[in-house]
Amino acid sequence: MGHEQNRGAALLQMLPLLWLLPHSWAVPEAPTPVWRDDLQNHTFLHTVYCQDGSPSVGLSEAYDEDQLFFFDFSQNTRVPRLPEFADWAQEQGDAPAILFDKEFCESMIQQIGPQLDGKIPVSRGFPIAEVFTLKPLEFGKPNTLVCFVSNLFPPMLTVNWQHHSIPVEGFGPTFVSAVDGLSFQAFSYLNFTPESSDIFSCIVTHEIDRYTAIAYWVPRNALPSDLLENVLCGVAFGLGVLGIIVGIVLIIYFRKPCSGD
């Protein structure tokens, strides 16, 4: 969708300012700069989460709930959600703070987790999936399918794609980010070249309860040619019958003798 591209461009312009926020605790207090007045109605989220499941630990950074990056702890690097953010993903200055957050979160799970067993919900609701294109649909031109997952808690899921019920390989990682209200959302992307006969499905499995949500994508207003032909024939036949009926009614009406005074 076009709004994905517009948001990406806007977020790219904000990145030089957003990088300052996670490090604000290390800077002496000073009068609020004028430029921060423009940020008062926006939120930058640097969220670390850990759990007894996969992934065991995660970190996401979002601006107004639009995810910028997730952190790949196996490679100790940021992974940008959109290609426009790739240059900023190389930032490593806060690596010690991220390591501390990770160790602190895991320590909390080990020490406090057993005390909360059975006192907090294991899962809350079922995830909801929907699929749309990143760019306006044009047959024969490369595009990207986006599978958006909402109402996700806890963030333990697997995402798979199918094309005509056949598993698809080669799609990218799943991007998970936190949103307000102790919930999560996720994005999965699949590059493809659309054709009129396409049927894609995004299959989301919530690992905590094995609930599966499936979202389908087919080209809008696309009908098989034989079905379209039958529909058009049916419409033409219906209009023809209606025309005959109207004609008969008019003939009968005008053939009635006029009543004299």
Side-chain angles (χ1 to χ4, degrees):
M1 282 187 177
H3 69 273
E4 283 278 321
Q5 291 178 302
N6 294 336
R7 285 180 175 179
L11 293 176
L12 188 61
Q13 295 177 2
M14 295 298 299
L15 279 174
L17 304 180
L18 297 179
W19 282 118
L20 300 177
L21 299 181
H23 305 288
S24 60
W25 63 80
V27 180
E29 292 187 5
T32 302
V34 175
W35 58 263
R36 288 203 177 186
D37 292 340
D38 297 332
L39 298 179
Q40 61 184 352
N41 295 323
H42 302 279
T43 303
F44 177 71
L45 295 177
H46 176 93
T47 306
V48 177
Y49 61 89
C50 52
Q51 57 192 353
D52 290 327
S54 180
S56 60
V57 62
L59 184 156
S60 70
E61 293 173 321
Y63 178 67
D64 284 351
E65 298 188 3
D66 286 317
Q67 187 179 19
L68 302 172
F69 312 100
F70 81 85
F71 196 83
D72 184 348
F73 283 94
S74 65
Q75 302 293 327
N76 290 325
T77 185
R78 285 179 169 86
V79 179
R81 184 172 70 88
L82 296 175
E84 293 90 329
F85 308 146
D87 291 341
W88 296 94
Q90 307 305 317
E91 168 66 29
Q92 298 292 334
D94 58 349
I98 291 176
L99 180 60
F100 173 83
D101 291 343
K102 172 179 179 293
E103 293 176 348
F104 178 77
C105 188
E106 292 174 337
S107 177
M108 292 282 288
I109 286 289
Q110 295 173 3
Q111 298 182 24
I112 300 179
Q115 302 178 29
L116 298 178
D117 188 25
K119 298 180 181 179
I120 59 175
V122 176
S123 178
R124 184 177 61 192
F126 298 118
I128 301 170
E130 56 181 306
V131 179
F132 50 87
T133 56
L134 186 62
K135 298 182 290 187
L137 176 63
E138 294 185 71
F139 293 125
K141 293 189 176 181
N143 207 324
T144 301
L145 282 177
V146 182
C147 183
F148 172 61
V149 184
S150 58
N151 198 43
L152 178 64
F153 181 86
M156 297 168 55
L157 78 162
T158 57
V159 178
N160 291 289
W161 290 87
Q162 290 186 353
H163 182 224
H164 292 293
S165 300
I166 300 175
V168 175
E169 304 293 338
F171 54 91
T174 301
F175 294 82
V176 178
S177 61
V179 295
D180 290 340
L182 191 60
S183 186
F184 292 82
Q185 62 186 16
F187 290 90
S188 178
Y189 297 88
L190 175 66
N191 295 324
F192 80 124
T193 300
E195 299 179 357
S196 59
S197 60
D198 280 336
I199 300 178
F200 282 92
S201 56
C202 173
I203 304 172
V204 179
T205 301
H206 200 201
E207 297 296 340
I208 193 70
D209 51 20
R210 303 307 298 174
Y211 173 81
T212 298
I214 303 177
Y216 293 92
W217 181 88
V218 296
R220 288 173 296 180
N221 304 322
L223 289 173
S225 57
D226 54 345
L227 177 58
L228 181 60
E229 182 179 348
N230 292 336
V231 170
L232 292 176
C233 287
V235 171
F237 178 77
L239 291 175
V241 172
L242 179 62
I244 293 174
I245 295 174
V246 172
I248 294 174
V249 171
L250 291 176
I251 292 174
I252 295 175
Y253 176 80
F254 285 110
R255 292 188 62 180
K256 285 184 178 180
C258 297
S259 59
D261 292 333

